[in-house]
Amino acid sequence: MSSAEKTTTNATLSPEPAAAPATRWYAASVFPGKEHVAERHLRIQGFEPFVPRCEKTVRHARRLETRSAAYFPGYMFIALDLGLQRWRSVNGTFGVRSLVTQGDRPLPVPSGLVERFIASTGEDGLLDFSGGLAAGASVRILSGPLAETIGRLDRLDPAGRARVLVAIMNGEIPVDLDARDLVAIA
């Protein structure tokens, strides 16, 4: 057997590493309130953007208004394969400031994080963290007149209604809310 045949035989016997999916999620900084514009223009270019959204209560002119808002204002996630896609064009997209980078390369988001957000998104497109709620747990109220208030979950019924005990005026006041308006905190 010649040396060329030995080299060919050795090369065919050594297994090649399995190709892992190269698509990862990356964070992009966007202009304030322009998440929907950036999302639309990225989709037109063939990218897969994801903006986690929640309901947010806004006070304006003595009125309370609840509307859909970005869970991370000023940021969104984009699925990219840096080897195949022209990722630098993301920085020139309307509504996008730039990809979050380390040096001259985009910095990937920790594996599984965006996937968990996608799994926690309801049919209405809003994040729904009510799956982890249990009686006695500390919770943060996300919307309504008591938005951003911390309380203790007293009870949760199968219909999605929750009773939260909120510490107000030297006592705990029971407040009935929709379970979607709560998130468990550690």
Side-chain angles (χ1 to χ4, degrees):
M1 186 183 274
S2 71
S3 64
E5 290 175 0
K6 287 181 185 176
T7 307
T8 307
T9 306
N10 289 342
T12 56
L13 294 178
S14 63
E16 295 199 24
T23 302
R24 294 279 312 264
W25 287 98
Y26 296 87
S29 174
V30 297
F31 289 103
K34 299 295 182 188
E35 291 88 358
H36 63 285
V37 172
E39 189 175 20
R40 185 177 69 235
H41 285 281
L42 286 166
R43 286 193 195 283
I44 290 170
Q45 294 178 56
F47 294 108
E48 182 185 348
F50 175 68
V51 179
R53 289 186 167 82
C54 64
E55 284 186 334
K56 185 169 186 161
T57 301
V58 179
R59 291 179 178 90
H60 179 69
R62 297 184 187 165
R63 286 187 338 200
L64 292 176
E65 181 182 320
T66 302
R67 61 181 175 205
S68 174
Y71 193 74
F72 302 107
Y75 291 92
M76 69 185 318
F77 301 104
I78 304 168
L80 296 171
D81 182 347
L82 298 183
L84 296 176
Q85 292 178 301
R86 298 174 51 99
W87 59 267
R88 291 184 192 272
S89 65
V90 171
N91 292 335
T93 302
F94 286 118
V96 177
R97 285 185 178 172
S98 68
L99 284 166
V100 176
T101 61
Q102 182 176 19
D104 63 343
R105 304 280 295 174
L107 184 64
V109 175
S111 296
L113 179 70
V114 177
E115 289 82 0
R116 277 186 253 139
F117 284 133
I118 292 171
S120 298
T121 302
E123 292 178 15
D124 56 1
L126 302 174
L127 289 176
D128 183 13
F129 296 115
S130 61
L133 297 177
S138 293
V139 295
R140 181 169 50 105
I141 300 172
L142 298 175
S143 65
L146 296 173
E148 302 303 319
T149 304
I150 305 294
R152 184 171 48 88
L153 184 61
D154 184 39
R155 72 173 181 236
L156 183 65
D157 67 14
R161 297 295 299 168
R163 174 163 287 171
V164 177
L165 300 175
V166 180
I168 298 176
M169 300 189 317
N170 295 329
E172 289 187 325
I173 308 298
V175 179
D176 291 324
L177 301 164
D178 189 342
R180 293 181 0 161
D181 295 335
L182 303 174
V183 64
I185 58 174

